[in-house]
Amino acid sequence: DIRRFSRHVSSRCYMNAIDGGVNAALGSAMSTALPPAALAFPEPMTLPALQDHVRVVCAHFGWDQKEDEKVFLLFVEEVGELAKAIRKVTGLAEEQNNPDKPTWSDAAKRQNLAEEVADVFGYLLELANRFDVDLASAYRDKFSTAMTRQWD
């Protein structure tokens, strides 16, 4: 259904964080059995194609109308959730003897980690679009320079 599709597009956390606009968009979209063809994932899934896809998805749901600062804060929030997911997978500074802490299987921890990486990546793509950054070119330019440096 559209809720499952939308979760894969930008994640459950992303959608819940964007005020009531997403819920309204999803409510009207629930009447359609399949998402519009324009929202289909690109093939091949290249970085420029993903940037274009995020641009279309954000416009479709009205997320492109949000302030840049709000989107950046949501990005930072997702980075924090990624840090927590990494802690769960690695066992770094885990709480001990907390009966309220849910028990996660290793597979669930890894799935959560993958979802949080996807959340961060989705927001990174959106931020790049908002500031007209061609990520593929920026990455190539930055790391071409970085690869000429000597590293310890």
Side-chain angles (χ1 to χ4, degrees):
D1 67 12
I2 191 73
R3 287 186 193 277
R4 183 177 171 146
F5 168 78
S6 296
R7 187 186 75 191
H8 291 292
V9 170
S10 296
S11 90
R12 57 177 164 54
C13 298
Y14 186 81
M15 291 172 48
N16 291 336
I18 308 288
D19 300 331
V22 168
N23 291 333
L26 285 176
S28 63
M30 289 302 289
S31 61
T32 61
L34 296 173
L39 298 181
F41 291 106
E43 289 297 333
M45 214 179 262
T46 64
L47 194 50
L50 286 170
Q51 269 193 263
D52 289 342
H53 182 257
V54 166
R55 187 177 293 107
V56 168
V57 169
C58 288
H60 177 78
F61 287 109
W63 299 336
D64 59 340
Q65 301 304 306
K66 300 296 176 188
E67 298 85 12
D68 297 337
E69 295 83 1
K70 184 173 186 175
V71 174
F72 180 73
L73 287 174
L74 292 169
F75 169 76
V76 171
E77 179 180 336
E78 292 300 338
V79 170
E81 291 178 14
L82 174 58
K84 187 173 184 177
I86 290 170
R87 284 183 46 212
K88 285 179 188 173
V89 168
T90 63
L92 177 67
E94 274 194 82
E95 286 184 69
Q96 303 297 322
N97 303 320
N98 181 349
D100 297 327
K101 180 184 161 201
T103 304
W104 291 41
S105 68
D106 288 344
K109 291 175 187 178
R110 292 239 172 243
Q111 176 61 34
N112 178 249
L113 177 67
E115 289 174 4
E116 297 306 338
V117 167
D119 287 344
V120 170
F121 185 56
Y123 273 112
L124 181 63
L125 291 167
E126 183 178 356
L127 287 166
N129 287 346
R130 286 173 172 268
F131 293 99
D132 297 319
V133 174
D134 174 343
L135 275 175
S137 295
Y139 181 88
R140 182 179 44 252
D141 293 348
K142 175 66 180 176
F143 283 90
S144 293
T145 302
M147 291 187 303
T148 64
R149 296 181 187 152
Q150 197 164 20
W151 299 94
D152 291 335

